[in-house]
Amino acid sequence: MKIDCAIIDKNLDRCTCTYVACSRKGICCECIAHHRKKNEIPGCLFPEDAEKEYDRSIARFIEAVRGRGDKG
Ligand code: SF4
């Protein structure tokens, strides 16, 4: 599938997901759709330490951000 998106490079520059073997990296619409379908949350929304665990579950997200306020 050809993705014609003018901001893929910009997305890649600011993507905080560290999972490198991903064909959706920089294509945020595909990233969100993929994780939403699995009832998950994209890696970029997780705090840095929790993101590296690659557990994208909603339960892990809540646990990771609980009590952090906006310190992320
Ligand atoms: S959050 Fe998931 S889909 Fe998005 S770039 Fe990372 S590994 Fe890929």
Side-chain angles (χ1 to χ4, degrees), residues 17 19 22 24-25 31 34-35 42-43 56:
C17 178
Y19 190 80
C22 176
R24 299 173 192 88
K25 204 161 176 60
C31 171
H34 170 74
H35 286 291
R56 308 299 193 217

Side-chain angles (χ1 to χ4, degrees), residues 4-71:
D4 187 15
C5 179
I7 61 168
I8 289 177
D9 287 343
K10 190 174 180 181
N11 290 343
L12 285 170
D13 283 346
R14 60 188 174 190
C15 179
T16 57
C17 178
T18 59
Y19 190 80
V20 293
C22 176
S23 61
R24 299 173 192 88
K25 204 161 176 60
I27 309 168
C28 301
C29 53
E30 291 293 319
C31 171
I32 291 168
H34 170 74
H35 286 291
R36 182 177 176 183
K37 187 175 179 182
K38 296 169 66 179
N39 205 27
E40 294 178 343
I41 294 177
C44 60
L45 297 180
F46 281 77
E48 190 176 346
D49 52 345
E51 186 283 320
K52 293 178 174 64
E53 299 169 2
Y54 306 131
D55 178 352
R56 308 299 193 217
S57 68
I58 292 172
R60 180 63 188 113
F61 175 78
I62 291 170
E63 181 182 63
V65 300
R66 181 172 282 148
R68 290 194 188 198
D70 63 353
K71 296 175 197 161

